[in-house]
Amino acid sequence: MSTPPPPRALTCSPRPDPAEHAPVEGAFGWLHALGPRGRRAFGGAFGGYALDAYDYFTLPLTMVALSAYFGLNSGQTGLLTTVTLVVSAVGGALAGVLADRVGRVRALLLTVITYAVFTVACGFAPTYEMLLVFRALQGLGFGGEWAVGAILVAEYASARHRGRTLGAVQSSWAVGWALAVIVYTMIFSLADDDLAWRVMFWTGALPALLVVWVRRSVRDAPEAAAAREKSARRGSFTAIFRTGRPGSPGLLRTTLFAVLLSTGVQGGYYTLATWVPTYLKTERDLSVVGTGGYLTFLISGAFAGYLTGGHLTDRLGRRRNIWLFALLSAICVLAYTNIPSGADTAVLVLGFPLGFCMSAIFSGFGSYLSELYPTAVRGTGQGFTYNAGRAVGAVFPTTVGFLADGWGVGGALVFGAIGYGIAALALLGLPETRGKELE
């Protein structure tokens, strides 16, 4: 089967492009449909997000060692995550504007360089306060990478395959998470905790290798770039908060409900991503190797969830997919955190469905947010809504940290289920966009 040319995922005309709707068969039909340039863009976004995850998880995995080294309580360790996520809202919004003004690839490179530099800097932090500052600055790059990479790929993908294509990009988060766990297990098995946490952060320099490749090989989707540059309102915050007028629907309602949706999903997700390693070590008394083994089930479920959710968001629609996995995620959180003491096999087994559900809900985000906004402000809209939700959702991990002193980490984790309820309610104010052509 020959490789078809890149489909016209973006058109200024209401007529569909026949090439875009040509049947592409097989499990990897979505990848073939991207064309050579689209596949290089996919590789850049996949690698960027995987290493974004790797650098993010250097903190949750080293949290116990950090707490002991600096003498921190649960609230202070939770604050490290919250600061990262709050500042990421600023970074995400700025990266979105840059993506609309200077292009997707240039903005992608800037975000990757930023999170890599400041992750390494965390390893040199002499005090808790400096660590807090470096982690906040790391959040500037961390916040922008996903939105920029997702838009880059979305503008190459056809409407028919966009959900599963962006779901595959999203799955790279599990790849980066798994890599972080492997490196963590090796480093903490070989070095003393007081040195090991620093070495873990120093390995955050890995994204520098990706930057070289992206700069040489990846380009913006030509038609999207041309359409973006023709608009005088590209990269405008005002546009995404504009109210509707007769014959000209505004984006204010979309922006507000998209922020609420992102808040709920990410509040639930980051609660679990931040505190499950600590829960396994402190309340389940697992060793470093044991914690890594249990996280393997959680991460394997996450990877499968991203890919499955990507297919389901194309089949069921964006809203139904999120509704389904919001419900299942909340159920899994309650089940996972109420396993009786000593039933560690159940903790192991339930890790897979927990990881599956909390990740499958994310699979539709890249396509859904891209489809909610026009090309001129797609970066601004997606960058702001995703990361504003991340910033507000960041309150959840800190809340769990403070509640953990009285309720225990396991009991406090139940708080994360509330986030999934918020996400389900937010969908009531958003339209279905499956099959929509990007304009």
Side-chain angles (χ1 to χ4, degrees), residues 294-380:
Y294 277 64
L295 288 176
T296 297
F297 274 74
L298 188 68
I299 296 167
S300 298
F303 184 75
Y306 285 129
L307 296 179
T308 303
H311 281 272
L312 288 178
T313 198
D314 280 336
R315 290 179 177 273
L316 301 178
R318 313 320 189 203
R319 296 170 80 237
R320 287 182 181 176
N321 184 68
I322 294 172
W323 258 322
L324 172 64
F325 286 107
L327 174 62
L328 293 178
S329 294
I331 292 172
C332 285
V333 171
L334 295 174
Y336 192 78
T337 55
N338 284 281
I339 296 171
S341 178
D344 288 344
T345 300
V347 175
L348 183 71
V349 172
L350 279 178
F352 189 91
L354 176 64
F356 184 95
C357 293
M358 66 189 251
S359 299
I361 194 172
F362 269 110
S363 292
F365 261 54
S367 52
Y368 195 27
L369 295 181
S370 292
E371 291 159 354
L372 289 173
Y373 290 95
T375 298
V377 293
R378 183 167 297 122
T380 304

Side-chain angles (χ1 to χ4, degrees), residues 178-199:
L179 179 61
V181 170
I182 292 169
V183 174
Y184 155 79
T185 303
M186 293 173 58
I187 292 173
F188 275 77
S189 297
L190 297 173
D192 180 81
D193 282 9
D194 288 349
L195 174 62
W197 72 265
R198 292 188 183 275
V199 175

Side-chain angles (χ1 to χ4, degrees), residues 412-431:
L413 279 173
V414 175
F415 187 75
I418 296 173
Y420 295 113
I422 293 173
L425 291 175
L427 289 169
L428 298 175
L430 293 170

Side-chain angles (χ1 to χ4, degrees), residues 24-32 164 311:
V24 184
E25 303 299 334
F28 294 97
W30 57 270
L31 188 60
H32 290 294
R164 69 201 75 181
H311 281 272

